[in-house]
Amino acid sequence: MPKKHFFFGGLIVLIIFLDQLTKWVIRQELSLYQSVVVIPNFFNITYLRNPGAAFGILSHANPLIIKPLFLVLSVVAIVAMAALYYKAQ
């Protein structure tokens, strides 16, 4: 397996780890709807919850349906991206 596969795989794992770490820190340190100014007048971090998908799509749907649906869609997307990546090699 070429070294670039290990590099990109490691990069993906690092990005996912950092994403989950920042979410965990925000849940631990901020109250719901609390904001922290990172760069004044440009960038704030605000703790919000979104039970649906992007932009609140499906936020009022039954969680017993939504969670498995998102899981299946995520797995399908990962498999499709992996197939495209290896096919491009």
Side-chain angles (χ1 to χ4, degrees), residues 62-80:
N62 184 344
L64 295 175
I65 295 171
I66 296 304
K67 287 186 181 187
L69 174 66
F70 286 159
L71 177 65
V72 168
L73 290 175
S74 298
V75 170
V76 168
I78 290 168
V79 168

Side-chain angles (χ1 to χ4, degrees), residues 2-76:
K3 289 182 183 180
K4 67 180 179 179
H5 291 158
F6 288 110
F7 173 76
F8 287 118
L11 187 61
I12 290 168
V13 169
L14 177 65
I15 290 169
I16 292 170
F17 172 76
L18 291 174
D19 173 63
Q20 294 302 308
L21 177 65
T22 56
K23 290 175 183 177
W24 180 80
V25 168
I26 289 169
R27 281 193 308 268
Q28 297 301 312
E29 299 298 324
L30 298 180
S31 300
L32 192 58
Y33 306 113
Q34 180 181 356
S35 285
V36 175
V37 176
V38 179
I39 302 172
N41 299 317
F42 181 71
F43 180 64
N44 298 342
I45 294 176
T46 304
Y47 179 24
L48 299 173
R49 292 185 183 161
N50 178 11
F55 309 110
I57 296 169
L58 301 174
S59 63
H60 299 297
N62 184 344
L64 295 175
I65 295 171
I66 296 304
K67 287 186 181 187
L69 174 66
F70 286 159
L71 177 65
V72 168
L73 290 175
S74 298
V75 170
V76 168

